[in-house]
Amino acid sequence: MNFLIFPPLTPDELEQVRAVSPDLEIVNALTEDEALAAIPQAVGMYGDLTPALLERAESLRWLQTPIAGLEHYMFAELAESDIVVSNMAKIYSDMIADHAFCFILMFARGIHLYMRRQIRGEWQKGTPVRHLADCTLGVIGLGGIGSELARRGKAHDMRVIAVDARPASTPGRSLDLDALWPQDRLHDLLGEADFAVSCVPQTPETVGLIGAEEIGKMKSSAYLINISRGVVVKLDALVAALESGGIAGAALDVYETEPLPAEHPLWKMENVILTPHVAADNPHVPQRRIDTLRDNLRRYLAGEPVRNIVDKRRLF
């Protein structure tokens, strides 16, 4: 099997991929010119397929992307092609769920307020405290990240409810959720959740998914958390709700505009936690990418379905 890799892997990574099968004829292209020369013969590819490469991809049947979110990767010609595309779904799930649950714990114990008092040198006891077993966790999008987050909520005896665009294909039953609804019941979830967490991918349907109307459905004691994609939550609507006391607080790792402008009002709000798009930072990610690639290569060579096949039009 002719297999193209571009951009190139490191020598150690390439050795791991070569070890999958002696039948692999791998081109680890150092430049786009090398990739352009190799793509006509390639049956499979790992990396960045550009429009120029696709135009010369006479034999390509399967493309493994090095990323999970495809909103900036997919283009019309690729979406319309018959090439099977698989992504890196689930390699970040546990670490991003940990980041989201860290936000929940900080709000529940008032750590976001105590940290600010620490900076000011203030010894002041007392913040609103939430007992997690009394709270409802609302998971918006029950993919890999949402499922891991739901497990963490259940481990803390929370009531866990979720909405998903494809509820029948999620692991909701094995998670023992208290409710799993289709995406059109988002307003119901927001009305019940004490902590509402966006875990959806970026698709045409999720851009602006949570705006003024949606935030207006939330309880004034509730918190909104976004660790998915910045364009999902409308920041102007969020700021308005925070300023009016419409919700208790918010935590964000992603934003409509990145970096978040220094003059943005969110920076100075004491009921807000901000991190700079780092929820996926983890030392195991590079190896997980290679492990996923190796597993899918083995599957493809054996005539088995590869994992993480995406709907190219829906981007997940």
Side-chain angles (χ1 to χ4, degrees), residues 235-295:
L235 290 191
D236 287 350
L238 177 60
V239 168
L242 291 165
E243 290 178 337
S244 68
I247 60 174
L252 308 170
D253 184 58
V254 290
Y255 312 85
E256 286 181 292
T257 300
E258 295 187 4
L260 185 68
E263 67 277 9
H264 200 282
L266 286 172
W267 286 111
K268 296 183 179 180
M269 292 184 174
E270 291 211 342
N271 57 345
V272 171
I273 306 171
L274 306 176
T275 54
H277 204 146
V278 293
D281 286 5
N282 190 283
H284 296 291
V285 167
Q287 187 59 49
R288 288 184 181 184
R289 283 199 184 97
I290 296 303
D291 290 345
T292 299
L293 172 58
R294 282 167 46 85
D295 182 53

Side-chain angles (χ1 to χ4, degrees), residues 170-288:
T170 69
R173 184 173 300 176
S174 64
L175 292 170
D176 191 29
L177 299 183
D178 296 279
L180 173 57
W181 300 321
Q183 191 79 23
D184 60 12
R185 292 194 61 183
L186 174 61
H187 287 187
D188 295 327
L189 178 143
L190 291 171
E192 295 189 23
D194 296 293
F195 298 93
V197 186
S198 173
C199 304
V200 296
Q202 181 175 330
T203 70
E205 292 76 22
T206 63
V207 174
L209 179 68
I210 302 175
E213 182 180 1
E214 288 71 31
I215 297 172
K217 301 294 181 181
M218 297 178 67
K219 297 182 287 189
S220 61
S221 59
Y223 296 87
L224 178 62
I225 296 170
N226 186 12
I227 44 79
S228 57
R229 287 293 185 264
V231 296
V232 173
V233 175
K234 303 297 291 181
L235 290 191
D236 287 350
L238 177 60
V239 168
L242 291 165
E243 290 178 337
S244 68
I247 60 174
L252 308 170
D253 184 58
V254 290
Y255 312 85
E256 286 181 292
T257 300
E258 295 187 4
L260 185 68
E263 67 277 9
H264 200 282
L266 286 172
W267 286 111
K268 296 183 179 180
M269 292 184 174
E270 291 211 342
N271 57 345
V272 171
I273 306 171
L274 306 176
T275 54
H277 204 146
V278 293
D281 286 5
N282 190 283
H284 296 291
V285 167
Q287 187 59 49
R288 288 184 181 184

